[in-house]
Amino acid sequence: MKRTIYIFLAIFLFTSASAQDITESAKKVKSGVVSSEYDRNSFTYLGIDLAEQFSAQACTQLEKLAVPDKFYDNAVETKTLSAPGQRETFTITAGLVKRLSDDKLIELLHQNKIGQKIIAKWFNRQPDGTFNTNLLKERGMFNANDADYIIASASKRGESALMDMGMGLINKSYVMVVDFDNLMTMEQVYNQSETPADKRHMNGFMATVNAYIYKLNFNDSVAAYFFQDYWTSAPDQNKISAFEAATFPFVPVQHFQQEILATQFNPGHALAPKVQKTSDELFQTMVQSAHQAIINDVEKKNDEFRVKAYVSAVDPIAAKIGKKEGLGFDQRYFVYENRERNNGSIESKRRGVVKAMKVMDNRKVTTGDTDPSLFYQIAGGKIDAYGMFMEQKNDVGANFVLGYTDGGLGGVNGRLEYYIGKLFYKSGNLSKGLTSLKLYVEGGIDAGSFDYNGVSDFTFARVSGGLNKDFYLTNFLHWGPFLGFGVESATWDTSENTISSMFIEGGARVGINIRYNVQLIGSATYYLMLSSEETDPDDNVVTEEVDYSGIFERGNGLGISVGLRIMF
C-alpha cells in the first residue's frame, strides 16, 4: 500500500507541476496565450444564512440545485453556513459593494471543515477513517478523452494511467458560496419606494445575489502532508485525529454580485399569465436564475472553467466533446491556433468562430473511438485539424439590429432576435434546420404629412414578430428568409383617433461580417396589408374600412432595409 501511495504522490507532483493554478491561468490570458488544456472541475455548493428575511428559505432552495453535467459534484453534508450580520462594505472601481469578506468566509469554511469533507469525498473516506482511491480512479477514467486513451494504451501501464489522472483533478475543486442580500417581495419593494397603488403591476421577489468562488488549494506540499500525516488504509486513531483537526487552504477566485428578479404581472393585467405562479415557484425561479447567472459569469471570467478541445476533423468541423462537457446546441466556440514567434514565445490567434449543430451524448468512459460533435462556422478564416483547438465562449443567444427601411413600411427600425433552435433540439441529431433559427420582434417609427380629412402630420409606429432562419454561405456571408405578422398604427396632430392596420411581412436578409459579432445587414421585405380601421381614444370603431396603403402610400409593396446587427 505504501508503494501505491508513493506512486499517486509522484503522479500528483508531476501533474501539479505541469498544471496551472487560477492565477497563472489569468496571466496566460492577459499575455495573449490561450491554453488548450482542459480537465473537469468539481463544485461544492453552499448557502449563507445571515438570519435575515427569507435567508432560510433561500438556503433550502439552494440545496436543491444540481451541479451542471460538465462539473463533478462534490456535495458535502453541510449545505448552509451560518454568518448573521457579517457583511462589510468594500470599495471597488464601480463604487461601494456590501458583501462578506474573504477572510470571514474562509474562516467559516474552516470552522465547518469543508476542506476535510471535500478531500474525504475524493479519497472515499470510510466510517472507520480509512481512505481508498476508488472514486479517484472512476473520475480519472471518466475525465479522459480519446487522446488520453490512445496515449495510455501505448504505455506499459495501459488504462491504469487513466485512473491516475484523478489525482490531478483534486486541485480543480471549487466551492461556490451564495448569499442573497436585500431579498424582498415586490410589495415590500413598492412600499420602500412609495410607489402609487396604480403603478404596482408586479408580484414576486427581488434580491442582490452575492457569490464567492474559492479553490481548494491541494498543491504539492499539501498533498505531501496529506499522504504523510493523514492517509491510512487501516484504522489509525492518530492519523484519524490529525486529519479531523487539519486545516486545508482555500484561494479566492472570484466575487459575483447581480440584481436578480423573479416576477410576474398581477392578475387582471393585460400581460399577466393565465395561471399565476405560486410564491414558492417564483422563489425557486429566482434561485435557479441566480445559479445560471453565476455559472455563466464564472465561465466567462476564468479560463479554467471554459471547455477546450482540439479540432478533430473539418468539412464538417468536428471536436470530441459533447454533453459530458456541457456542450449545447448552437453554443458558440472560438477556434484558436497557438504559434511560436521568432523569439520563441507563443502567441494565440483566433482563426474562426463556430457553433454546435450536432451534440453527442458522450457521458461514458472513453474507449478511444468517441463520436465527435459537429459545428458550423459563422466567422473567421480557414480552419484545419492540424493543431487548432476550440474554446468555449458563451453568448446570450440574442442579436440586436438597428436600421432604416425605404419603401414598404419605411422608417427607422430596431429588431431583437432570439435563437430558439436549442429548445427543439434532440441530442445526437444533425439538425441544420434548427441552426440559427430565431424568433424576432421588430419595431419601427416614421412620420409624414398626408391628406386625410384635411392635411395633417402623421406619426407611424409598428411592431411585428416572426421567424427567421440564417444560412451561412461562407465564413463571412449569410442569408436568411423570414416571415412575420404585425400591426402599424397612425396618429395625427389634429385628432386623438388612431388608424391601425394589420399586415403580413416576408422576405430575405443578407449579412456580411464586419467582426465576428457585428454584421452589415440588408433586407428585402414585402408587406401585405390586411384589415384597417379608425378608432377613437376609447377604442370604439369610427371607420371600419380605411384604405391604409392608398391614403398613406405605405405597405402593399417592397421595402429595402440596411442596418447593423450586433450579436450578444
Side-chain angles (χ1 to χ4, degrees):
M1 179 53 69
K2 286 185 177 181
R3 183 171 178 271
T4 301
I5 295 172
Y6 292 142
I7 290 173
F8 271 102
L9 180 57
I11 291 168
F12 175 79
L13 293 176
F14 174 78
T15 54
S16 60
S18 61
Q20 299 171 315
D21 64 18
I22 204 75
T23 304
E24 288 302 311
S25 176
K27 288 179 181 177
K28 289 190 74 175
V29 172
K30 289 179 181 178
S31 67
V33 178
V34 179
S35 171
S36 60
E37 298 178 1
Y38 173 73
D39 286 303
R40 291 170 66 84
N41 298 321
S42 61
F43 256 126
T44 302
Y45 288 175
L46 299 171
I48 284 280
D49 186 351
L50 286 95
E52 298 171 339
Q53 177 184 235
F54 302 123
S55 281
Q57 188 175 347
C59 290
T60 298
Q61 289 296 335
L62 283 167
E63 292 179 11
K64 300 176 183 178
L65 289 177
V67 173
D69 284 346
K70 65 177 288 187
F71 305 116
Y72 291 120
D73 184 357
N74 275 350
V76 297
E77 62 271 22
T78 300
K79 306 292 184 182
T80 300
L81 307 178
S82 179
Q86 293 194 21
R87 291 194 196 93
E88 300 176 26
T89 300
F90 294 85
T91 302
I92 61 173
T93 305
L96 298 177
V97 298
K98 188 173 65 170
R99 59 174 173 81
L100 290 157
S101 70
D102 288 324
D103 289 343
K104 287 184 177 179
L105 264 175
I106 291 176
E107 180 60 30
L108 279 172
L109 296 178
H110 292 332
Q111 290 174 6
N112 288 271
K113 300 186 180 297
I114 302 302
Q116 282 97 327
K117 291 171 182 177
I118 293 173
I119 291 174
K121 175 96 173 181
W122 274 109
F123 288 104
N124 203 28
R125 192 171 188 247
Q126 301 300 300
D128 62 0
T130 59
F131 299 97
N132 62 60
T133 58
N134 294 345
L135 184 64
L136 279 175
K137 293 176 181 178
E138 177 186 321
R139 289 186 171 182
M141 291 285 289
F142 189 76
N143 177 73
N145 56 35
D146 281 7
D148 298 325
Y149 182 89
I150 293 169
I151 293 171
S153 298
S155 69
K156 291 183 179 180
R157 300 188 65 234
E159 291 188 13
S160 297
L162 298 180
M163 300 179 186
D164 298 340
M165 291 179 65
M167 281 297 298
L169 300 177
I170 303 175
N171 204 32
K172 296 179 179 293
S173 301
Y174 294 85
V175 175
M176 176 195 296
V177 185
V178 184
D179 162 30
F180 287 87
D181 189 14
N182 291 325
L183 207 172
M184 296 184 286
T185 66
M186 287 306 299
E187 187 65 23
Q188 291 172 323
V189 173
Y190 290 140
N191 290 340
Q192 190 177 78
S193 59
E194 299 182 348
T195 303
D198 61 339
K199 302 294 184 182
R200 301 187 178 202
H201 302 307
M202 312 288 289
N203 65 83
F205 297 92
M206 174 187 289
T208 299
V209 178
N210 295 299
Y212 315 82
I213 311 299
Y214 299 98
K215 178 183 178 182
L216 178 65
N217 192 14
F218 198 74
N219 57 30
D220 52 357
S221 60
V222 174
Y225 273 113
F226 172 78
F227 284 112
Q228 176 180 311
D229 296 341
Y230 311 135
W231 172 278
T232 178
S233 56
D236 184 325
Q237 190 56 52
N238 290 333
K239 289 192 172 184
I240 291 172
S241 299
F243 176 74
E244 292 177 349
T247 298
F248 291 91
F250 286 94
V251 179
V253 174
Q254 181 183 339
H255 300 131
F256 170 92
Q257 187 175 84
Q258 183 173 310
E259 298 290 333
I260 298 291
L261 287 169
T263 59
Q264 61 189 348
F265 284 98
N266 293 326
H269 192 280
L271 298 177
K274 291 182 179 180
V275 178
Q276 290 273 308
K277 288 186 177 180
T278 66
S279 178
D280 287 342
E281 288 172 336
L282 285 170
F283 206 99
Q284 184 179 23
T285 298
M286 181 187 64
V287 173
Q288 290 172 341
S289 298
H291 173 238
Q292 189 58 59
I294 295 165
I295 291 295
N296 289 343
D297 199 56
V298 167
E299 291 177 340
K300 178 182 178 181
K301 294 180 179 178
N302 297 281
D303 176 71
E304 292 235 338
F305 287 88
R306 295 193 289 271
V307 176
K308 290 110 172 176
Y310 280 97
V311 177
S312 60
V314 294
D315 198 23
I317 297 166
K320 293 195 172 186
I321 53 176
K323 296 192 75 172
K324 182 164 74 171
E325 292 77 21
L327 181 65
F329 183 77
D330 249 352
Q331 186 177 14
R332 187 179 68 182
Y333 274 67
F334 285 2
V335 178
Y336 290 99
E337 184 177 33
N338 285 341
R339 288 188 171 183
E340 186 175 352
R341 295 191 182 101
N342 292 333
N343 62 6
S345 63
I346 302 296
E347 65 174 347
S348 295
K349 291 288 187 180
R350 188 178 68 226
R351 296 303 182 188
V353 181
V354 298
K355 284 190 171 186
M357 64 179 178
K358 181 179 181 180
V359 179
M360 297 305 300
D361 190 348
N362 61 343
R363 292 174 294 184
K364 60 182 179 180
V365 174
T366 181
T367 56
D369 56 355
T370 304
D371 290 329
S373 294
L374 304 180
F375 299 78
Y376 65 101
Q377 188 171 0
I378 65 171
K382 184 178 180 181
I383 295 174
D384 62 48
Y386 303 107
M388 292 190 184
F389 64 95
M390 300 180 183
E391 182 183 46
Q392 171 190 355
K393 288 289 184 177
N394 291 342
D395 56 1
V396 175
N399 307 326
F400 178 71
V401 183
L402 183 63
Y404 180 80
T405 301
D406 183 40
L409 297 180
V412 177
N413 52 270
R415 184 172 70 253
L416 183 64
E417 303 172 337
Y418 180 73
Y419 291 80
I420 61 173
K422 57 189 175 184
L423 303 177
F424 307 102
Y425 179 73
K426 292 184 179 180
S427 178
N429 293 338
L430 178 57
S431 298
K432 292 184 178 180
L434 294 177
T435 59
S436 293
L437 178 64
K438 305 183 294 294
L439 181 69
Y440 74 86
V441 177
E442 182 171 310
I445 57 173
D446 198 11
S449 296
F450 298 92
D451 187 358
Y452 180 73
N453 297 330
V455 177
S456 299
D457 293 328
F458 283 78
T459 300
F460 303 94
R462 64 180 169 87
V463 62
S464 61
L467 291 175
N468 179 202
K469 159 75 174 154
D470 287 345
F471 297 91
Y472 283 83
L473 303 175
T474 70
N475 49 20
F476 66 88
L477 177 67
H478 75 267
W479 82 279
F482 63 91
L483 181 65
F485 174 84
V487 177
E488 181 170 86
S489 62
T491 57
W492 60 104
D493 53 357
T494 59
S495 174
E496 295 183 352
N497 290 358
T498 299
I499 300 174
S500 59
S501 178
M502 294 182 288
F503 62 88
I504 295 174
E505 62 183 8
R509 299 180 177 121
V510 177
I512 299 176
N513 286 357
I514 298 174
R515 295 187 69 243
Y516 75 89
N517 62 342
V518 180
Q519 295 92 36
L520 179 65
I521 301 290
S523 305
T525 308
Y526 188 86
Y527 299 95
L528 177 62
M529 309 309 290
L530 303 176
S531 60
S532 304
E533 63 182 14
E534 179 182 349
T535 57
D536 63 19
D538 295 324
D539 209 27
N540 297 314
V541 176
V542 176
T543 306
E544 290 187 359
E545 293 293 337
V546 177
D547 184 9
Y548 194 92
S549 60
I551 296 170
F552 302 121
E553 300 175 354
R554 294 177 64 79
N556 284 342
L558 189 66
I560 302 299
S561 304
V562 64
L564 280 179
R565 181 174 80 170
I566 301 175
M567 308 173 74
F568 297 97

